[in-house]
Amino acid sequence: LAPGDEVITSPFTFFATAGAVENVGGQLVFADIEPGTFNIDPAAVADAITDRTRAIIPVHLFGQMAEMQPVMDVARERGIAVIEDAAQSIGAKAAFDGGWGSAGAVGTLSCFSFYPTKNLAGWGDGGMITTNDSALADRLRRLRVHGENYASGRYVHEEVGINSRLDAIQAAVLHVKLRHLPGWTEMRRARAAYYDKEFNEVADVTTPAAPPDRFHVYSLYTIRAQRRDELKAHLGEQAPGLRRRRLPRGGAGVGGGIEPAGVSGVAVRGARKRKISNRNVLRLLSRRGLTPNKTRSTLVSVTREQGAGAATGTASLKPT
């Protein structure tokens, strides 16, 4: 990005979305969110585009994809890159181009997180980038190892990059857990359906919007409450550590999401995963010859195909 180049994104997201733009010298432009899904409003995106707009970052918040069709249509027309923030939405889908598009399989490139609180979680920090652009994929591979181009020989650095390799133990753990993701997703969706049914009897609570053209994976089950502060105080007595999310001003009306901090099994957190202990993971790794001191793994094959399931289907977490 050059000085003055603009990047449009949502004001209702984790700090890192906006921080990434600031770190490369871009000018942040916030577009308002939809009141139902909390995702970026395509109409607001279109209104925010100027001749200086270089990228759009839709955030697939809480496990649900933003409405990508109108965003991609205007981006294609204007030649603007689209970077999906899919940190919370691995496995999510939405109607796109006459079929279904997966989170991570729609934009110019997409970013996933394997932070321990995510639906597909490692034992520590980690992430994945996906793209259909082979030239961009090659550059991303270089940038993650200080700009080194292995095709040109070892220690041949074509540009200044960063150290962004995934730890071998994280790749090994994710390789084991990846096969469980569809089942965990269905558990989350079933639990969310149960919450919807139970909260339907409570007039002051609004449950998460889930349009029929979206496949929600419920990274978080975030409710809105008219008596928010009273509810927070009550739940705080029952589940210490609860915290509140605030909606952006002028955005989605009253209320705010409530989620537990470090408290498992609370309704607003979504489905509880079947626990896999460290000992069990190590046992599974050992059976596959993937003990930590023997494993050197690559995070991902950065290219992927369009279509449902693409985002999870191309993750290459096998040892190399």
Side-chain angles (χ1 to χ4, degrees), residues 248-267:
R249 290 184 178 178
V254 299
I258 297 177
E259 66 167 290
V263 181
S264 61
V266 178

Side-chain angles (χ1 to χ4, degrees), residues 13-62:
T13 179
F14 180 59
F15 184 84
T17 308
V21 179
E22 287 289 328
N23 285 340
V24 294
Q27 178 66 46
L28 276 167
V29 176
F30 289 122
D32 208 347
I33 62 173
E34 298 176 329
T37 66
F38 307 134
N39 281 323
I40 199 166
D41 184 345
V45 171
D47 289 343
I49 292 175
T50 71
D51 292 339
R52 298 185 299 277
T53 303
R54 296 295 176 266
I56 303 168
I57 307 179
V59 181
H60 303 323
L61 198 66
F62 300 150

